[in-house]
Amino acid sequence: MSSLSAFGDSSIQTPSKSRIRQGCHSAGPNVSGDHINLVSSSMPSFPILQRSSEEKILYSDRLTLERQKLTVCPVIDGEEHLRLLNFQHNFITRIQNISNLQRLIFLDLYDNQIEEISGLSTLRSLRVLLLGKNRIKKISNLENLKSLDVLDLHGNQITKIENVNHLCALRVLNLARNLLSHVDNLTGLDSLTELNLRHNQITFVRDVDNLPCLQRLFLSFNNISNFESVCCLADSASLSDITFDGNPIAQESWYKHTVLQNMMQLRQLDMKRVTEEERRMASLVAKKEEEKKRESHKQSLLKEKKRLTINNVARKWDLQQHRVTSIATNQDRKDTDSPSQDSCQMDGSTISAFPEETGPLDPVLTNALQGLSVTDTHLVEVEGDTLSLYGSGALESLDRNWSVQTAGMVTTVSFTFIEFDEIVQVLPKLKMKFPNSLHLKFKETNLVMLQQFNALAQLRRIDQLTIDPQGNPVVNFTLWKYYVLFRLSHFSMQKINGTEVTQNDMIMAERLFGILAHVASSELPQYRVISILGDARKKQFRYLQETKGKKPGIVNEENNDSKRLVGENTNRAMLNYTTRDFYNEKLEEIKEKKKFCQMYIEDLVKEATEINKKNEALQKLWPQMFIELVRDAVIEIRSKNSYMKLCLQQITDQK
């Protein structure tokens, strides 16, 4: 049986011939063929086999008829005791005339032209059936051969493994050099120890793990390209010898390690003994691969959680924006006395467009995510030198105790799905926590007017600015870039939206908006200018006042340092930005002051009115009063002595 090894695509060999006479071969070595004849029968198409008495006595249990140019099986009478029958290398097209050989154990029909397995139903004792190199297209009619031990069907045209599940005693199955594209339907072959599938077109293997006794599996020269297509082999506890040479998988660098780490029980791989060193290396590689796989799985989970969180943030942002739009729309309708009804309805499943696309997930990751319910409405992520903030809740992360290394590494800060007015409130924290941040990115932040860029002047430094058109209508303004360059000129910006800033851009920005800063500073009173500049600008303002009119050479070094530290032009500092919340607070304060002033003015007006009325009345009465005053005075001083006496008496009384 050893001929059915990995190199044994050919059939099992029968005893060789020694002499030839009349075209008949002997049944075994040193056996004369003189007493074997094929004679014509009453049926011309079937010759009759005749052997001499000596031949029958010497080799009573075997008969060899190879290379006889037979096209049919001859009629074999009186040979019911035969156990071995050899028809190799003939032209037989159909199996027949052997149903009476019920003791037959070994039947060899190698290298004939048989197209169908038939005529074997009575051979219940048959253990070896060799049908290699024929024209068989289908495995069939083996139902009664339950004692079959070896089945050789190599070199045929079989495309599917079928009708073998009942062969529970079969040990060797050879299907090499057929047209098989896959391996399955092997259930029931509980005794199978060797399976030869070399030189087919196999791309995947199944059911092999259901063969409890399989030891040798030969898959050389097929189309297997990855281990996943034969992963069932890893579940086989009995396999000890396997071949993959001649497959695409055998050309991969990871091939040997992968096979050995999944099939630790192997003794031979591709006809070479597996050494302990190879097993040890495979085990090390397996551990590394497992760690890598776990890390990859973890990263996939984190990535998917990130995607779900960002979608939640986007959904909340969309709802918020639609709500704001709806309120504004309703207010407009109220102003025009039109019926108020919500024209914007938000589907709960709507998600704002975002680069994080939903891709197909592998089954393992899908199972891991089944219980994952992401309800986070913000996300903070540090990746490389970029700090990404999604959702307004992420701004609270700026209050964390960031490590010096992480904070120093961040050079880019990205804001997404956050109101710009909320970002303005944390800019001082950003400057303090991340002193090396040079690049700011804004996406879906409601940048709607040029005035908002004024708020960025309070940062330490900006080299690059990226304003995504999505959710930032301000980029639709033709001159927005020039305004940024003008207002933030003290930063010497290098790039805006990825485009290099040129000297011509700076000149154009100054030409377009330079007068704006002059007007802003000249129209405001000095006390208002100082209040706008704040503490950080007061030093510079005082410096400008103190050095006004002095020669450049007498400016001291301290003032130079102050000027360099402040950096921002005073005129441009007048262009400030007030957030809506701060503006609303100021508006309430202004309303209170206005109310107080109005009441105060009303009181003053009322008092002035009364005074005016009294004055008018006095003007009418004054001529008569004056006459009476003169008259009384003349009367009092008419008697000089009496008047003096009266005055002295009044003085005395006062003392």
Side-chain angles (χ1 to χ4, degrees), residues 400-535:
R400 295 180 187 172
N401 293 323
W402 294 86
S403 67
V404 176
Q405 182 179 1
T406 302
M409 182 176 58
V410 172
T411 60
T412 301
V413 182
S414 174
F415 300 94
T416 309
F417 300 123
I418 308 174
E419 285 283 350
F420 185 79
D421 283 1
E422 297 182 35
I423 298 173
V424 171
Q425 298 173 17
V426 300
L427 288 179
K429 297 179 183 178
L430 182 67
K431 178 174 65 173
M432 180 179 64
K433 294 283 187 177
F434 302 98
N436 296 328
S437 58
L438 304 175
H439 185 188
L440 296 184
K441 294 182 177 180
F442 298 93
K443 178 176 181 181
E444 292 282 5
T445 56
N446 273 342
L447 270 165
V448 296
M449 55 185 175
L450 297 178
Q451 186 184 5
Q452 290 173 297
F453 290 115
N454 299 341
L456 301 180
Q458 61 184 295
L459 292 173
R460 187 184 301 273
R461 181 182 173 188
I462 303 176
D463 283 354
Q464 293 188 53
L465 186 65
T466 301
I467 311 296
D468 196 295
Q470 185 174 334
N472 295 306
V474 72
V475 300
N476 295 323
F477 299 162
T478 306
L479 303 179
W480 76 271
K481 291 184 181 180
Y482 293 112
Y483 183 80
V484 170
L485 292 175
F486 160 74
R487 183 60 187 86
L488 306 179
S489 60
H490 58 290
F491 288 147
S492 300
M493 196 142 343
Q494 298 176 5
K495 288 184 179 180
I496 296 181
N497 279 14
T499 304
E500 293 282 349
V501 175
T502 64
Q503 188 63 31
N504 290 335
D505 293 333
M506 299 298 296
I507 295 172
M508 180 61 71
E510 187 65 29
R511 287 180 179 175
L512 289 171
F513 296 103
I515 189 63
L516 181 63
H518 174 72
V519 171
S521 61
S522 61
E523 292 295 326
L524 292 177
Q526 182 174 331
Y527 77 90
R528 181 60 176 153
V529 171
I530 294 176
S531 66
I532 290 177
L533 289 178
D535 294 336

Side-chain angles (χ1 to χ4, degrees), residues 219-260:
L219 289 164
S220 305
F221 301 101
N222 279 284
N223 294 327
I224 299 170
S225 58
N226 56 74
F227 191 79
E228 285 72 19
S229 60
V230 293
C231 60
C232 64
L233 302 179
D235 298 326
S236 175
S238 58
L239 265 177
S240 61
D241 190 355
I242 193 168
T243 65
F244 284 111
D245 54 301
N247 283 274
I249 189 177
Q251 306 300 319
E252 301 290 344
S253 58
W254 46 261
Y255 155 66
K256 195 168 189 177
H257 291 150
T258 301
V259 173
L260 291 180

Side-chain angles (χ1 to χ4, degrees), residues 179-393:
L179 303 176
L180 298 174
S181 61
H182 58 276
V183 179
D184 56 6
N185 198 23
L186 297 173
T187 307
L189 301 179
D190 296 339
S191 300
L192 195 66
T193 60
E194 181 176 310
L195 178 59
N196 190 345
L197 299 168
R198 289 163 52 94
H199 292 283
N200 276 278
Q201 302 167 14
I202 296 170
T203 57
F204 67 90
V205 177
R206 295 175 183 165
D207 289 350
V208 171
D209 53 321
N210 295 324
L211 303 176
C213 297
L214 187 65
Q215 298 177 13
R216 294 175 296 279
L217 176 61
F218 306 113
L219 289 164
S220 305
F221 301 101
N222 279 284
N223 294 327
I224 299 170
S225 58
N226 56 74
F227 191 79
E228 285 72 19
S229 60
V230 293
C231 60
C232 64
L233 302 179
D235 298 326
S236 175
S238 58
L239 265 177
S240 61
D241 190 355
I242 193 168
T243 65
F244 284 111
D245 54 301
N247 283 274
I249 189 177
Q251 306 300 319
E252 301 290 344
S253 58
W254 46 261
Y255 155 66
K256 195 168 189 177
H257 291 150
T258 301
V259 173
L260 291 180
Q261 75 186 32
N262 285 280
M263 305 177 68
M264 298 298 293
Q265 78 281 7
L266 283 185
R267 294 199 302 268
Q268 286 196 128
L269 176 61
D270 295 335
M271 306 307 293
K272 296 179 181 178
R273 187 176 67 86
V274 178
T275 64
E276 290 302 319
E277 179 64 18
E278 289 174 331
R279 293 184 193 276
R280 189 182 68 83
M281 291 300 297
S283 179
L284 291 176
V285 172
K287 290 180 180 178
K288 291 182 180 179
E289 288 293 330
E290 186 63 26
E291 291 175 0
K292 186 177 179 181
K293 186 176 180 180
R294 283 199 298 267
E295 182 63 24
S296 176
H297 184 67
K298 180 181 177 181
Q299 293 300 322
S300 298
L301 280 173
L302 291 175
K303 184 177 180 181
E304 180 63 12
K305 185 176 181 180
K306 172 186 172 182
R307 187 187 68 81
L308 293 176
T309 301
I310 292 175
N311 283 344
N312 284 343
V313 176
R315 184 181 294 111
K316 182 180 178 182
W317 175 262
D318 281 346
L319 289 171
Q320 180 182 352
Q321 299 311 305
H322 278 270
R323 190 180 301 116
V324 171
T325 304
S326 177
I327 292 173
T329 304
N330 290 339
Q331 187 63 40
D332 292 342
R333 289 178 175 175
K334 287 178 181 178
D335 294 341
T336 56
D337 296 326
S338 61
S340 176
Q341 56 184 358
D342 189 0
S343 61
C344 296
Q345 295 183 354
M346 182 64 183
D347 184 359
S349 63
T350 303
I351 296 178
S352 180
F354 194 77
E356 295 285 345
E357 297 294 339
T358 304
L361 302 178
D362 58 61
V364 176
L365 183 58
T366 301
N367 293 334
L369 289 170
Q370 282 180 351
L372 181 62
S373 177
V374 179
T375 58
D376 296 337
T377 55
H378 68 273
L379 176 67
V380 180
E381 180 184 40
V382 177
E383 186 173 359
D385 62 351
T386 301
L387 170 65
S388 299
L389 304 174
Y390 300 89
S392 59

